[in-house]
Amino acid sequence: MADTLVCVKTDTRKVEMQKLPLATPGPGQALVKMRLSTICGSDIHIVDELPVPPGTPMGHEAVAEVVDAGEGVTSFKQGDRVVASCLFGCGHCARCQEGNLQVCETYAAPFNLLFGCQGEYYMVQNAELNMAKIPDELDDEGALFATDIMSTGFAAIENAGLRFGDSVAVFAQGPVGLCVTAAARARGAGLIVTVESIPSRVAISKKLGADRVVEPARAVDEILALTGGKGVDVAVEALGHQATLEGAMRVTRWGGTVSSVGVYGAFPAVSIPTDGTFLHRRLVTTLCPSGQDRLRRMMDLARYNRVDLRPLFTHQMKLGQTPAGYDLFRQRKDGVVKIALRP
Ligand SMILES: [Zn+2]
Ligand SMILES: [Zn+2]
């Protein structure tokens, strides 16, 4: 049996590279070799805040190559370039049957999260359902975000029911918020205002579609002024903090939609303003839509040049430097948005 060098959670706020044994793929599984991986905000939640046990192999966003496949995996062959959704489904439960693999009842979140993508090799469950081939025209960088943050950010806009010409405000331009901005443009929004103060993120936000980027402290006043005091049709919360949720609620017009996509894991509760700014509004929440068809549609947006999320990669590192990447990402140093990790 071979082994894989992978980034492992060893304690709260601690990761290191370790050699772990590699299993042989069982029925439905595919063993894949990582080509490009990255660190996600959720990885920081898992390592710093969540009761995920030490010894857990980290990473759930990667592009890979098929090495071996178990019984029943017939659509893929050795050497195929693939992506797998970060959340996987069984394909049989009620939620999977309605197309919501991300909340599969059999595997039950958060245990349906893919683990080990920050490693030389990892295993994909139910590959026929949860994995997709990458079109030849699309490079690794163009495909990677379909696995998680692109699908999440785009769903924040889809679930808001954005119409052509609708005005949009996006609170926070981290990796997911930037995907929301790109989604708003791709979906045909009118005015797009984003809220961010970190210069590198402001620059990428403008590149991906923001007409105006406003400072967090002045966001509510400026967004209301830009919309004649009425508020935007859709406001997205993409950070998971009280201030951004409240801001999104305060700038949404009567009858508009607040779309919350941030993970509020660092707080026991968040509250809704009771001064009337959240009467007659709609609140929707989103968890990364998953599965082969979702991956295909996300990749086709990049393949046919509707969206280019590659500017999100601000840093390049070798797989062995992943623990240093966690420090960089956690402290938002050096203008980091996404780190490309390669074997
Ligand atoms: Zn993630
Ligand atoms: Zn299921």
Side-chain angles (χ1 to χ4, degrees):
M1 190 186 285
D3 49 22
T4 176
L5 180 71
V6 59
C7 180
V8 173
K9 173 178 178 175
T10 52
D11 204 346
T12 305
R13 297 185 65 83
K14 266 200 84 170
V15 292
E16 60 184 58
M17 300 306 293
Q18 290 184 356
K19 286 262 182 198
L20 294 184
L22 271 178
T24 306
Q29 294 181 326
L31 178 69
V32 300
K33 184 174 191 283
M34 191 271 279
R35 294 169 55 95
L36 175 69
S37 185
T38 190
I39 301 168
C40 178
S42 309
D43 291 324
I44 306 299
H45 290 302
I46 289 168
V47 172
D48 295 1
E49 295 155 14
L50 298 175
V52 173
T56 300
M58 296 298 301
H60 53 265
E61 301 170 90
V63 169
E65 226 169 79
V66 176
V67 174
D68 195 6
E71 191 193 317
V73 181
T74 55
S75 314
F76 302 93
K77 60 179 193 308
Q78 215 178 44
D80 278 348
R81 211 160 49 99
V82 292
V83 280
S85 285
C86 65
L87 296 166
F88 53 86
C90 71
H92 305 291
C93 73
R95 298 288 79 77
C96 281
Q97 285 192 39
E98 67 182 15
N100 291 308
L101 280 66
Q102 68 276 23
V103 287
C104 172
E105 292 173 338
T106 307
Y107 293 113
F111 302 105
N112 65 338
L113 183 66
L114 184 62
F115 281 100
C117 292
Q118 289 155 7
E120 292 171 312
Y121 298 88
Y122 57 97
M123 194 75 81
V124 177
Q125 310 296 329
N126 292 344
E128 292 285 320
L129 181 66
N130 299 307
M131 193 164 90
K133 269 188 223 176
I134 300 172
D136 290 340
E137 305 93 304
L138 202 55
D139 61 16
D140 292 354
E141 289 81 356
L144 182 126
F145 299 128
T147 63
D148 183 358
I149 61 168
M150 179 186 188
S151 183
T152 302
F154 276 59
I157 290 294
E158 290 174 283
N159 290 347
L162 187 102
R163 304 167 306 173
F164 289 114
D166 269 349
S167 52
V168 182
V170 188
F171 281 74
Q173 293 290 277
V176 173
L178 287 166
C179 288
V180 174
T181 302
R185 180 162 74 179
R187 184 86 167 196
L191 172 70
I192 303 173
V193 192
T194 64
V195 181
E196 183 56 63
S197 58
I198 300 172
S200 60
R201 296 182 177 199
V202 169
I204 302 170
S205 182
K206 287 179 178 163
K207 194 171 193 169
L208 295 183
D211 299 296
R212 290 283 295 272
V213 185
V214 299
E215 283 283 331
R218 299 201 28 82
V220 171
D221 290 347
E222 288 199 28
I223 293 165
L224 289 175
L226 282 166
T227 53
K230 290 180 178 172
V232 291
D233 298 302
V234 172
V236 181
E237 195 293 327
L239 185 65
H241 285 191
Q242 174 67 36
T244 44
L245 176 65
E246 212 174 305
M249 289 179 165
R250 290 191 189 283
V251 303
T252 302
R253 65 160 169 86
W254 286 109
T257 300
V258 176
S259 179
S260 169
V261 76
V263 176
Y264 302 90
F267 308 94
V270 286
S271 62
I272 290 175
T274 51
D275 59 0
T277 55
F278 202 61
L279 296 170
H280 196 71
R281 272 89 172 171
R282 204 162 64 99
L283 172 64
V284 295
T285 64
T286 293
L287 180 65
C288 184
S290 297
Q292 192 177 87
D293 184 58
R294 179 71 178 177
L295 289 165
R296 184 210 30 99
R297 286 184 287 122
M298 292 296 107
M299 287 193 287
D300 275 0
L301 283 168
R303 176 187 189 177
Y304 296 111
N305 299 313
R306 309 290 181 237
V307 170
D308 185 359
L309 295 171
R310 290 174 296 184
L312 267 64
F313 285 113
T314 51
H315 290 66
Q316 312 273 333
M317 283 184 169
K318 284 294 204 189
L319 175 65
Q321 298 172 287
T322 306
Y326 270 73
D327 291 335
L328 180 80
F329 192 76
R330 184 186 278 120
Q331 292 154 27
R332 295 181 191 164
K333 273 196 239 164
D334 194 23
V336 67
V337 178
K338 288 295 256 187
I339 305 168
L341 300 167
R342 289 191 176 79

